[in-house]
Amino acid sequence: MLRKAIYILLLISFVAIVVYKPNATSEPTASPLDPAKEDLSRVDYPSQAKVEWEPRFIRPQDTIESLFGKDWPLVARFNRIDRRHVYPGMTIKVPKQMDDIRDYTPLPRFYEPARRQGKYILIDLTEQWLGAYEQGKLKFSMPAATGSDTHKTPTGLFRVDARHRNHTSSLYKTEDESEQYPMDNAIRFHIGPDNVSYWIHARDLPGRPGSHGCIGVYDEAMQKRVYDIPAQPVLLDSEKLYNWAVGEADYEEDTGELEELEDGVVVEVIGDNPRIHGKSLFSLFTGN
């Protein structure tokens, strides 16, 4: 009887957490709506098995800059997360030796299918990572945020067919719903049978898949404009990729307006979303 009463109390506590949705940015507690429970150590990126790391709980007084100094961009990239998404109550992965991630990339340094392509973009959904190749050699790479499990990014071979430096979403708004979601430095690579367009563009990076199907990469300049943080933008991957893939070196003057392109860069999307492992909050309560 006592065991049954304890079970009921724990179940009520769990339901209360779900209903009241704790403020994850101010309280050190996990949101039950987050499949990773705001613990990025539960997101399984296969390439990280080669790096010794340990989980680090973010306390109220912590910032990624205060914890890691000039090496904070390395830790951010390793976790596929931006500074706006590192907040008290979450857990991130921290390498035991920072030198182990100074040249970290989960993608191959040479990719045979890209050998005969002047430029080639490879996106690995399992690793949440994007690589830019020239004649098969990796020129640079960057973390990405692709479609969630309910809005998966399509896989296969595609080709860039449009650019739009000042693009905004026609379907989705910012968190406060004050404006349409910005998609700076947008590169379109696919239009689905339902007429939905898929782009690579500037986006928030939460450390796991989180988009409605597009592929987002770092752009702290966009975040500063929209959210007024960070004070000093550093991570500008979307601009770097845009200039490399569809910039004026290969095409005519960019007016900032939507422009269709011919003979665009090949884009290959492979894999499936990363596995999120470990016991759920409910299983901890029930013992199942």
Side-chain angles (χ1 to χ4, degrees):
M1 187 70 181
L2 178 60
R3 183 175 180 180
K4 185 176 181 181
I6 293 174
Y7 173 84
I8 293 172
L9 287 173
L10 290 173
L11 184 59
I12 291 172
S13 298
F14 174 76
V15 172
I17 292 173
V18 172
V19 171
Y20 288 107
K21 301 177 184 177
N23 183 357
T25 60
S26 60
E27 300 175 25
T29 185
S31 166
L33 302 181
D34 177 0
K37 300 297 179 285
E38 291 165 6
D39 181 352
L40 296 188
S41 71
R42 296 180 59 191
V43 185
D44 182 15
Y45 296 121
S47 64
Q48 292 181 338
K50 301 175 183 178
V51 178
E52 283 193 281
W53 58 266
E54 55 191 5
R56 171 69 67 87
F57 182 79
I58 304 299
R59 303 166 300 173
Q61 69 270 28
D62 293 335
T63 66
I64 195 169
E65 296 99 318
S66 68
L67 289 173
F68 306 109
K70 62 181 176 59
D71 288 331
W72 73 261
L74 300 177
V75 178
R77 292 182 181 278
F78 188 65
N79 284 273
R80 288 81 160 153
I81 198 168
D82 58 50
R83 283 186 276 180
R84 199 171 77 87
H85 283 83
V86 179
Y87 45 73
M90 71 177 305
T91 301
I92 62 174
K93 299 174 183 177
V94 179
K96 292 184 178 181
Q97 300 292 331
M98 202 63 67
D99 285 347
D100 290 344
I101 63 169
R102 292 197 185 281
D103 197 29
Y104 171 78
T105 180
L107 300 184
R109 303 290 176 173
F110 185 85
Y111 190 57
E112 180 62 34
R115 176 192 291 272
R116 297 187 180 183
Q117 301 291 333
K119 294 182 179 180
Y120 192 102
I121 295 174
L122 174 67
I123 295 108
D124 188 330
L125 301 181
T126 309
E127 290 286 358
Q128 294 292 284
W129 209 270
L130 179 153
Y133 289 84
E134 294 182 357
Q135 267 78 46
K137 296 180 180 179
L138 186 63
K139 182 74 173 178
F140 57 87
S141 72
M142 57 190 63
T146 67
S148 66
D149 285 342
T150 55
H151 298 87
K152 286 190 175 181
T153 300
T155 57
L157 279 173
F158 311 97
R159 187 177 288 276
V160 169
D161 66 357
R163 67 179 180 183
H164 192 183
R165 187 178 291 277
N166 302 316
H167 193 61
T168 57
S169 174
S170 60
L171 298 174
Y172 306 106
K173 292 186 176 183
T174 54
E175 293 169 9
D176 61 4
E177 297 192 347
S178 62
E179 60 180 294
Q180 296 302 120
Y181 191 86
M183 297 168 60
D184 295 14
N185 301 315
I187 303 168
R188 191 175 69 195
F189 66 94
H190 179 54
I191 301 177
D194 54 0
N195 207 35
V196 172
S197 296
Y198 293 86
W199 302 76
I200 304 170
H201 62 85
R203 193 192 186 279
D204 294 5
L205 263 68
R208 58 189 175 277
S211 80
H212 289 89
C214 288
I215 297 164
V217 293
Y218 284 131
D219 192 323
E220 290 189 333
M222 177 274 288
Q223 290 184 314
K224 179 175 173 58
R225 186 182 79 246
V226 177
Y227 305 111
D228 201 32
I229 55 172
Q232 298 293 330
V234 173
L235 304 174
L236 304 171
D237 288 359
S238 76
E239 182 178 350
K240 179 178 183 178
L241 180 66
Y242 184 92
N243 289 336
W244 174 83
V246 295
E248 294 182 354
D250 295 314
Y251 295 94
E252 296 178 353
E253 180 182 359
D254 189 347
T255 65
E257 299 300 319
L258 175 63
E259 181 181 358
E260 295 189 353
L261 305 174
E262 295 182 356
D263 300 321
V265 178
V266 173
V267 176
E268 183 180 8
V269 183
I270 62 173
D272 200 354
N273 284 354
R275 183 172 64 99
I276 296 177
H277 60 82
K279 288 189 174 182
S280 68
L281 183 61
F282 185 80
S283 68
L284 291 175
F285 281 157
T286 62
N288 294 329

